[in-house]
Amino acid sequence: MSDTLNPLLLAFMAGLFTWVMTSAGAALVFLFKEINKNILNIMLGFAAGVMVAASFWSLLLPATEIAKEENMVEWMPVIIGFAAGGAFLILMDKVLPHLHPNSKDGSPEGMPSNLRKSILLVFAITLHNIPEGFAVGVAFGAMANEGVTFAAAIVVALGIGIQNLPEGAAVSIPLRKEGYSRRKSFMIGQLSGAVEPVAALLGAYFAMNMAYLLPYTLSFAAGAMIYVVVEELIPESQSEEHSHGATIGSMSGFLLMTFLDIALG
């Protein structure tokens, strides 16, 4: 299959899969009006663990191996790309007007705007999911240069999809509790994954057409994902006094992604 289908098409299909998984999680709002805070924290911790493991096993480690094969200074692409990924998210966080669903004071971030609250929520979620879609696309695009195997790219998409399931619910159900209708909560929740097919195409394009930058591109995706984990997922999951559940969730997510990457990749 990987020999007959264009990596761009594979990346787009994988991005659609992660969007579907997000939508499935968001659809839980039709079954539950609210979610126990401890359960939500476990879900967020699980998502964080998956993203950390995917960043290392599926992005940073291949970047190091490719740099070595290309006779580059092994650490340089990883350091530069990783830092650039985090810097990009910091810049977007400062520029793009957005409002996080679980904001404590309800104040928008980024540049001042008069946009409606629902639009600001969508922007916040979009900012969160760009790195995930980009990482999926980079993995499939790297296949064209044999930097990543087809199985490894599948593992990245599967891991991101798995963590998107609880992530979709973690967006839609709290919105329902805040007074949004079930339909509107679902629509905002599933929109958190709508950007991923587009980001996947972009990531695949860069990986396919700029082979000499592949170690940097892989590391860039990892840096952006780790920024999201440290900036949002971990702090939110540790918001309760007793956070053992969130910690166990993080470790479980990391172990699951590690198993998938080693066993299947």
Side-chain angles (χ1 to χ4, degrees):
M1 181 178 180
S2 60
D3 296 328
T4 58
L5 289 179
N6 188 300
L8 280 173
L9 178 59
L10 290 173
F12 183 69
M13 292 169 60
L16 287 177
F17 164 72
T18 59
W19 183 9
V20 168
M21 292 292 285
T22 304
S23 299
L28 292 176
V29 75
F30 293 108
L31 300 177
F32 306 100
K33 183 176 181 179
E34 59 182 277
I35 186 171
N36 182 278
K37 183 62 176 176
N38 289 326
I39 294 177
L40 177 61
N41 289 342
I42 291 172
M43 292 163 61
L44 291 171
F46 178 84
V50 168
M51 291 177 70
V52 170
S55 296
F56 175 74
W57 293 109
S58 302
L59 298 172
L60 292 176
L61 189 58
T64 304
E65 294 172 348
I66 295 170
K68 184 177 181 180
E69 292 172 0
E70 297 297 326
N71 296 317
M72 299 178 180
V73 180
E74 293 177 36
W75 56 266
M76 187 174 295
V78 173
I79 297 299
I80 294 176
F82 188 89
F88 173 75
L89 262 293
I90 292 175
L91 178 62
M92 293 295 293
D93 200 48
K94 297 293 185 182
V95 173
L96 184 69
H98 61 284
L99 175 64
H100 293 289
N102 298 307
S103 174
K104 293 182 179 180
D105 59 4
S107 301
E109 299 179 26
M111 296 181 67
S113 74
N114 295 318
L115 295 173
R116 290 182 299 175
K117 182 178 179 181
S118 58
I119 296 177
L120 292 173
L121 287 168
V122 170
F123 280 177
I125 300 162
T126 298
L127 179 64
H128 183 128
N129 283 272
I130 288 174
E132 298 175 10
F134 189 80
V136 170
V138 166
F140 280 96
M143 293 190 325
N145 305 304
E146 298 184 352
V148 173
T149 65
F150 177 66
I154 289 292
V155 167
V156 175
L158 186 59
I160 296 298
I162 289 173
Q163 70 94 27
N164 275 0
L165 187 65
E167 198 172 73
V171 173
S172 64
I173 295 178
L175 289 177
R176 172 60 179 163
K177 187 177 180 180
E178 289 184 12
Y180 285 75
S181 68
R182 293 183 189 274
R183 182 177 178 277
K184 191 166 187 177
S185 298
F186 167 74
M187 291 302 295
I188 294 175
Q190 64 87 26
L191 276 176
S192 67
V195 70
E196 294 194 17
V198 179
L201 282 175
L202 184 63
Y205 177 82
F206 272 99
M208 292 172 64
N209 294 281
M210 300 181 182
Y212 60 95
L213 291 178
L214 187 55
Y216 294 91
T217 307
L218 289 166
S219 301
F220 178 93
M225 288 177 63
I226 292 298
Y227 176 87
V228 171
V229 171
V230 177
E231 174 76 5
E232 298 180 25
L233 294 182
I234 290 180
E236 182 63 28
S237 70
Q238 299 288 329
S239 61
E240 296 297 299
E241 181 178 355
H242 302 291
S243 57
H244 298 305
T247 302
I248 293 172
S250 297
M251 295 183 69
S252 300
F254 187 93
L255 287 175
L256 175 62
M257 190 63 189
T258 299
F259 166 75
L260 290 174
D261 200 284
I262 295 176
L264 304 179

